[in-house]
Amino acid sequence: MTVGIIGLGLIGGSFAKAYGQAGHTVLALDTDRSTLNFAMVSGVVTEELTKENAAGCDLILIAINPEAACRALEEFAPHFGSKGVVIDCCGTKRVVCSVGFRLAKRWGFTYLGGHPMAGTHQSGFKYAGANLFKGAPMVIVPPVYDDIALLSRVKNLLKPAQFGRISITTAEDHDEIIAFTSQMAHVISNAYIKSPTARKRKGFSAGSYRDLTRVAWLNPPMWAELFLENKDNLISELNQLIGALSEYREAMVSDDAVRLTRLLDDGRRIKEEVDGR
């Protein structure tokens, strides 16, 4: 298999290493020439991905931010050809999928939206790993929901990444759910760490602190773009959270142990319902 990868950051670099380790030919493109050169010298990437060789790829993964992904789709659309499958790996789906589906219809290539649900607080090719996606979920947004042959083909193309599960959804549902499961966690973590008490926490913190603050260490420009692109869903979730936090605060202000206990028990019960014991 020949795989083309646009963007050699943590996600794109990990795909490159996974496919290369599995014995496949990897072509890649990155705005940072030194990163691309290093990837080629180290043997992860065979050669540069260009408009001339893109049509020979069985799979092309676009692993850059949504705005850049839209530009890459516009630029490469006439050159993808009909042989391969093009999948973007952006953290939001509505904008990039609307561009991708439109261009695929015009130029005759196969496009799907995608979101690999894996990562670390580090960024860049040097932190990429061939096993980053092993056991992780991969979300796919296909052009039509019930094309079994296409979905089977995509699952086969993605096998070298070793995803644990592939979920199928729409761009709209993806962005609504991801606002809660991912984006909210990053906002909360980043805001939580701003307490002045954080500077006094050494010797007083354990698993709860580590779990809650892990994703505060993020890539600000990337996450700002994702938040703004999905702000309708994210603001809705934030409003819900602010309302819930106000209830806890009011119970404590009024020394209402019964109400506070009920609120805490509600949260415990819902956690049990959605995630099990």
Side-chain angles (χ1 to χ4, degrees):
M1 183 192 315
T2 298
V3 179
I5 298 174
I6 299 178
L8 286 173
L10 178 69
I11 299 300
S14 294
F15 273 122
K17 292 179 180 181
Y19 280 87
Q21 186 171 284
H24 301 290
T25 299
V26 178
L27 312 182
L29 179 65
D30 194 89
T31 54
D32 184 346
R33 187 73 205 188
S34 63
T35 296
L36 177 60
N37 289 340
F38 178 79
M40 289 192 290
V41 168
S42 63
V44 174
V45 172
T46 305
E47 62 180 284
E48 183 175 358
L49 176 69
T50 66
K51 294 174 183 176
E52 288 69 37
N53 61 25
C57 293
D58 300 287
L59 173 66
I60 291 181
L61 298 163
I62 303 177
I64 47 184
N65 295 354
E67 289 183 7
C70 291
R71 291 194 296 271
L73 282 165
E74 294 277 5
E75 182 179 352
F76 273 84
H79 309 282
F80 284 137
S82 59
K83 173 187 176 182
V85 171
V86 179
I87 302 175
D88 83 87
C89 301
C90 300
T92 54
K93 298 266 65 82
R94 285 176 293 177
V95 171
V96 69
C97 281
S98 66
V99 172
F101 291 142
R102 171 177 57 80
L103 292 171
K105 184 176 181 180
R106 177 183 177 187
W107 294 101
F109 63 91
T110 301
Y111 164 81
L112 301 93
H115 186 180
M117 301 300 298
T120 72
H121 67 274
Q122 306 283 11
S123 61
F125 182 79
K126 69 177 180 178
Y127 296 108
N131 292 321
L132 180 68
F133 308 114
K134 187 174 183 179
M138 174 65 166
V139 181
I140 292 293
V141 178
V144 291
Y145 203 76
D146 57 353
D147 189 339
I148 305 303
L150 175 59
L151 295 176
S152 178
R153 180 185 175 193
V154 168
K155 288 179 181 179
N156 188 57
L157 288 170
L158 291 173
K159 274 185 179 179
Q162 302 181 76
F163 288 106
R165 175 180 178 180
I166 294 182
S167 300
I168 311 301
T169 189
T170 64
E172 291 74 21
D173 283 348
H174 170 277
D175 286 1
E176 179 182 0
I177 296 168
I178 217 70
F180 171 74
T181 61
S182 176
Q183 294 183 341
M184 272 283 285
H186 286 78
V187 171
I188 293 166
S189 181
N190 199 266
Y192 175 80
I193 198 65
K194 291 178 179 178
S195 168
T197 312
R199 305 187 191 286
K200 304 177 184 178
R201 64 96 188 164
K202 290 188 177 179
F204 294 84
S205 60
S208 298
Y209 171 83
R210 288 194 300 271
D211 292 345
L212 189 52
T213 60
R214 180 180 65 83
V215 291
W217 202 346
L218 46 67
N219 180 330
M222 181 190 78
W223 282 101
E225 180 180 335
L226 294 173
F227 292 163
L228 290 173
E229 189 169 299
N230 199 31
K231 68 179 182 180
D232 54 341
N233 289 313
L234 186 53
I235 289 172
S236 177
E237 289 292 344
L238 282 170
N239 288 339
Q240 172 68 29
L241 175 66
I242 291 168
L245 289 174
S246 295
E247 289 193 64
Y248 289 89
R249 184 181 182 279
E250 288 166 8
M252 285 183 270
V253 167
S254 59
D255 287 321
D256 191 339
V258 174
R259 184 184 181 192
L260 183 57
T261 301
R262 177 180 57 78
L263 290 169
L264 293 169
D265 192 56
D266 285 345
R268 178 205 57 78
R269 176 179 50 78
I270 293 170
K271 171 65 176 176
E272 185 176 313
E273 289 175 1
V274 298
D275 290 328
R277 290 186 179 273

